[in-house]
Amino acid sequence: MVSTTPNEKTISQVAAIDGLKLAVEVRHASGAPTLLFAHGFGQTRGAWHGTSLALAAQGYRCVSFDARGHGESDRVPGGDYHMEQFIGDLRVLAHAELSKPILVGASMGGLLGLMLAGEIDPGAFRALVLVDITPRWETAGVERILAFMQAHPDGFASYAEAAEEIARYLPHRTERKSEDQLRPLLREGADGRLRWHWDPALLGGELVRESERYQPRLMAAAAKVAVPVLLLSGGRSDVVSRDTVGEFLKLVPHAEHVELPRATHMVAGDANDAFIREIARFVGKLSSPDRSDAVTA
């Protein structure tokens, strides 16, 4: 891949095992170590824009991607989405790196990382940074996210209307999203209406319908994770709580936990400076990544 400076990026398509194309963005291609960013359900790689820009400027190689059915990545024909597909995509991207990456996974992205590192491929990552997610979560918080995603199936007449909906969903944020910021999040249909970037089939599929069924499996996987782990939670989150964090720390006693008091579930956007600082501090403690490193128990 062509080298980039921290302020430049390359965007490419990477084929998943089933041939579906994933949109992948790299900042500071020659930097080290590598941070692989995995966004949450309903987000895009754009959720990491400020974080990856800042950390690339600090010398890290920052790789982010749109999950299948999200953003600029392909949608599954027929809308048949399964958890194993998403785990497989993350595994492909992890092994595409020359050095073992450090996963920074928010919400769904963090759960995929736990499953991969604890159950399927213990050697996939050098370390995990979990962003406001634990193997068991608060149902009410997840339901609020899904309610936002399921609202307005007919889309919006304008970018201003979409910005108003986001403002109602995130009332603590004072800055409204501009049309330029919204363009990657919306698609214009044949009827001229603007709809969210995700495949509507995601909302009626297994990921939503049977998500809580995965909790025992996720807890078992977490208990087997041997690499360094940092859990960054939002003090105002309605998705994780003291109970779920405490349960996670018992499952993964070597994990470090930092709460960012002013952040909600949208930690990267709510407390970006503190978020970036904590990632840099944690990664700075790790030794230089090497694909040949053994995973220690």
Side-chain angles (χ1 to χ4, degrees):
M1 184 172 288
V2 177
S3 177
T4 61
T5 65
N7 289 328
E8 296 176 339
K9 64 184 179 183
T10 61
I11 299 174
S12 61
Q13 289 188 326
V14 173
I17 293 175
D18 59 3
L20 183 143
K21 298 296 192 301
L22 303 171
V24 179
E25 179 178 309
V26 176
R27 287 189 183 274
H28 205 344
S30 60
T34 295
L35 303 178
L36 177 58
F37 294 91
H39 63 72
F41 189 68
Q43 293 185 311
T44 71
R45 67 182 191 273
W48 304 114
H49 174 76
T51 303
S52 61
L53 190 62
L55 290 170
Q58 294 183 35
Y60 299 105
R61 171 182 167 87
C62 295
V63 181
S64 57
F65 67 100
D66 292 337
R68 60 175 57 212
H70 295 70
E72 295 179 334
S73 287
D74 288 348
R75 298 181 175 188
V76 174
D80 190 18
Y81 292 92
H82 299 280
M83 177 71 82
E84 304 303 328
Q85 297 167 341
F86 290 85
I87 296 171
D89 294 345
L90 186 59
R91 189 179 193 182
V92 165
L93 293 172
H95 285 280
E97 296 300 316
L98 295 178
S99 62
K100 197 181 297 185
I102 297 157
L103 179 74
V104 182
S107 201
M108 177 185 75
L111 295 178
L112 298 175
L114 278 176
M115 202 81 86
L116 194 54
E119 176 189 303
I120 296 169
D121 187 357
F125 306 115
R126 276 283 295 121
L128 300 177
V129 178
L130 304 178
V131 184
D132 207 64
I133 194 61
T134 48
R136 188 173 63 82
W137 51 84
E138 298 296 340
T139 301
V142 173
E143 288 179 345
R144 188 177 72 89
I145 295 170
L146 294 175
F148 169 77
M149 294 180 68
Q150 291 165 345
H152 303 284
D154 294 328
F156 306 98
S158 66
Y159 287 103
E161 190 178 330
E164 180 66 27
E165 181 66 13
I166 293 175
R168 280 195 290 266
Y169 179 62
L170 301 172
H172 61 288
R173 294 195 185 172
T174 57
E175 184 179 344
R176 284 248 171 142
K177 285 193 177 291
S178 67
E179 182 172 327
D180 285 344
Q181 290 173 315
L182 286 170
R183 284 187 185 280
L185 303 179
L186 294 159
R187 294 184 176 191
E188 185 174 350
D191 58 359
R193 303 280 292 180
L194 299 168
R195 293 177 175 82
W196 297 119
H197 63 85
W198 56 73
D199 186 348
L202 284 162
L203 296 172
E206 179 200 46
L207 286 178
V208 172
R209 189 177 60 251
E210 302 184 31
S211 61
E212 293 193 358
R213 179 174 66 85
Y214 284 99
Q215 290 183 353
R217 183 179 170 189
L218 284 160
M219 293 174 71
K224 296 178 183 177
V225 171
V227 297
V229 178
L230 170 64
L231 170 61
L232 289 172
S233 67
R236 298 162 62 190
S237 173
D238 57 359
V239 174
V240 304
S241 63
R242 288 184 178 179
D243 288 343
T244 67
V245 168
E247 182 179 60
F248 173 75
L249 294 177
K250 288 180 180 178
L251 289 170
V252 192
H254 67 276
E256 179 183 355
H257 172 230
V258 175
E259 180 183 285
L260 301 179
R262 299 177 62 184
T264 66
H265 183 58
M266 314 293 281
V267 177
D270 288 343
N272 202 248
D273 289 346
F275 179 67
I276 292 165
R277 185 167 57 249
E278 289 298 335
I279 292 175
R281 177 192 60 78
F282 174 72
V283 174
K285 296 191 301 182
L286 303 174
S287 59
S288 297
D290 186 335
R291 173 60 66 185
S292 64
D293 285 352
V295 176
T296 57

